[in-house]
Amino acid sequence: MEEKRTPKIVGVVWGLLVLNTLGSAGAKTIVPLPRSLIQMVTMGALVAAFALALVINARLRIRANAYVFLLTLLLVTSVISSAHLESGFGALFRCFRLTLFVGTLWLLSRWWDGSLTFVRHHIRMYFAVLGSVALGLAVSPGAALPDLYGGRLVGALWPLTPPQIGQYAAVIIGLTVLLLLGRRTDRTSAAVVIVPSLVLLALTHTRTATLGLLIGLVLAIGSLLLTSAAARRFFTWSVAIATVAAVGFASALQAWFLRGQSKDNFSSLTGRAKVWDALLAAPRTTREKWFGVGLGDKSFGGLPIDNSWLAVYNEQGLIGVGLVAAFIIVLGGVALLRPPSLQRACAIFLISYCAIASYTEAGLGDASPYLLHLALAVSLLAAPAEATPLATPDVPRPRIPRWAQRSEVR
């Protein structure tokens, strides 16, 4: 019933937002794609998403929510920090992109009613993205598993990095498992999504996505244990299987987890810690400390920051860090206060996954898949909109002539 009230074009808008957040940097593709062309496609997708959302919501009906409001404040902070052009004119372009992104979320908020509509849009779109990755692997295994990335899976048709593919796979695996436990999908449909996504996740060797998937599912399923027998059975079997796998395949799991790295390299998080230390030690003015240097490419000294909190601190300052922390805390608090349900479990999974990934991935301060995951969580936690009662027109009383009102005396 809820699906019928949501226009189909809303799914198209959501898919365009997903396309925009795929990015333009990554591995070399089978057919070389100019970065300018990729940026034109992704930016064009965002402009089309905003235009379509404006068409279907021409009356600008929105639902008030703290998440998009805090994103709007983060956008204002980004504009203030980028106005000084320390990061170049590209910072203003990124602010424009973030403006369209936040504006589209405001327009879509009208249909955030606690249903699973957007979950299905999310799974379908990211499964299509993973389908392109699998097709690239089938067409050219050498390009999809290049030595440059240590034999990890990349996008050979569209430039996607291993962490990106791992993130998309982990998110749709977790959501599909929860839909299966909630009996909102059948086993065959769930297997079609889960099995190939697990294979792609394993080929990416992405530790952050794997840990985010496991911990997120534990927290999400744990929220259903008191109300769902299926969740209790799944949790019991998962613990048993995980115990056997940990004992029987300990060496293989350790080798997969280390990815051939030395212990020193692993302890420094593949060199990330050195970039983090240099960023924190760099001198900053008072304005840079509070507002940052403006939106950039999430790098410092030519190296990726790979940490959402430090990237936000660098680009949007302490105010930006406070706003990001605020919407994570608000979403987590709202999820904990909701009664147990499948929607609440999906939201807990998404929030916890984004929180875990924020330690080794950037994206919480700019238009990114992580902000889309959190927007999906907001749509699941939103209370259903109350139906507006139809006004009953006043029926005029029939006029009675005066002669009829007089009582006859006989």
Side-chain angles (χ1 to χ4, degrees), residues 16 59 71 78 120 167 179 290 374 380 386:
L16 290 172
R59 296 185 179 181
L71 277 186
S78 302
R120 301 186 188 281
Q167 175 199 163
L179 290 181
W290 286 100
L374 293 177
L380 292 166
E386 297 181 1

Side-chain angles (χ1 to χ4, degrees), residues 226-247:
L226 297 178
T227 57
S228 172
R232 290 192 290 271
R233 289 194 299 269
F234 182 86
F235 186 80
T236 303
W237 278 104
S238 298
V239 171
I241 294 173
T243 302
V244 173
V247 174

Side-chain angles (χ1 to χ4, degrees), residues 364-376:
L364 287 181
D366 205 347
S368 70
Y370 294 107
L371 294 189
L372 268 187
H373 300 333
L374 293 177
L376 178 59

Side-chain angles (χ1 to χ4, degrees), residues 16 70 101 108 119 195 213 217 229 269 286 301 316 322 345 352 410:
L16 290 172
L70 290 171
F101 184 85
L108 291 179
V119 172
V195 174
L213 171 63
L217 276 180
L269 297 173
T286 302
Q316 291 131 317
S352 58
R410 298 193 179 198

Side-chain angles (χ1 to χ4, degrees), residues 85-351:
L85 301 179
E86 290 187 37
S87 299
F89 286 99
L92 297 179
F93 176 80
R94 293 183 178 93
C95 287
F96 174 69
R97 175 175 177 247
L98 184 58
T99 301
L100 292 182
F101 184 85
V102 175
T104 306
L105 293 183
W106 272 122
L107 294 171
L108 291 179
S109 65
R110 172 184 178 182
W111 293 280
W112 293 352
D113 56 2
S115 69
L116 296 170
T117 302
F118 286 89
V119 172
R120 301 186 188 281
H121 294 325
H122 213 62
I123 293 174
R124 288 167 187 161
M125 188 60 193
Y126 279 118
F127 187 67
V129 174
L130 292 181
S132 71
V133 174
L135 181 60
L137 177 62
V139 172
S140 179
L145 300 168
D147 294 334
L148 179 63
Y149 284 87
R152 301 170 65 191
L153 180 65
V154 301
L157 297 180
W158 185 274
L160 297 173
T161 61
Q164 284 181 284
I165 300 171
Q167 175 199 163
Y168 306 153
V171 167
I172 68 171
I173 289 170
L175 292 175
T176 306
V177 167
L178 293 174
L179 290 181
L180 181 62
L181 293 179
R183 298 180 180 179
R184 299 302 180 91
T185 188
D186 58 85
R187 295 183 180 179
T188 302
S189 300
V192 169
V193 174
I194 294 174
V195 174
S197 298
L198 276 174
V199 173
L200 296 180
L201 175 59
L203 290 176
T204 63
H205 288 258
T206 307
R207 295 176 293 225
T208 300
T210 305
L211 289 176
L213 171 63
L214 296 177
I215 297 174
L217 276 180
V218 168
L219 295 176
I221 296 174
S223 70
L224 294 172
L225 291 180
L226 297 178
T227 57
S228 172
R232 290 192 290 271
R233 289 194 299 269
F234 182 86
F235 186 80
T236 303
W237 278 104
S238 298
V239 171
I241 294 173
T243 302
V244 173
V247 174
F249 302 96
S251 59
L253 291 174
Q254 183 179 7
W256 181 90
F257 200 77
L258 289 176
R259 296 195 313 230
Q261 297 174 342
S262 64
K263 292 184 178 180
D264 292 337
N265 196 17
F266 177 74
S267 62
S268 65
L269 297 173
T270 322
R272 289 185 178 95
K274 297 179 181 178
V275 180
W276 299 347
D277 292 339
L279 187 151
L280 292 173
R284 293 176 182 272
T285 64
T286 302
R287 182 186 59 79
E288 290 174 344
K289 179 179 290 187
W290 286 100
F291 289 96
V293 298
L295 293 183
D297 58 358
K298 312 298 176 289
S299 67
F300 181 79
L303 297 174
I305 297 175
D306 286 340
N307 180 288
S308 284
W309 304 100
L310 292 179
V312 171
Y313 171 68
N314 183 55
E315 296 182 356
Q316 291 131 317
L318 291 174
I319 294 178
V321 172
L323 291 172
V324 172
F327 64 65
I328 292 288
I329 293 172
V330 168
L331 286 177
V334 172
L336 293 176
L337 293 175
R338 289 283 188 270
S341 66
L342 176 59
Q343 287 85 343
R344 178 199 186 211
C346 290
I348 289 175
F349 168 75
L350 292 167
I351 297 167

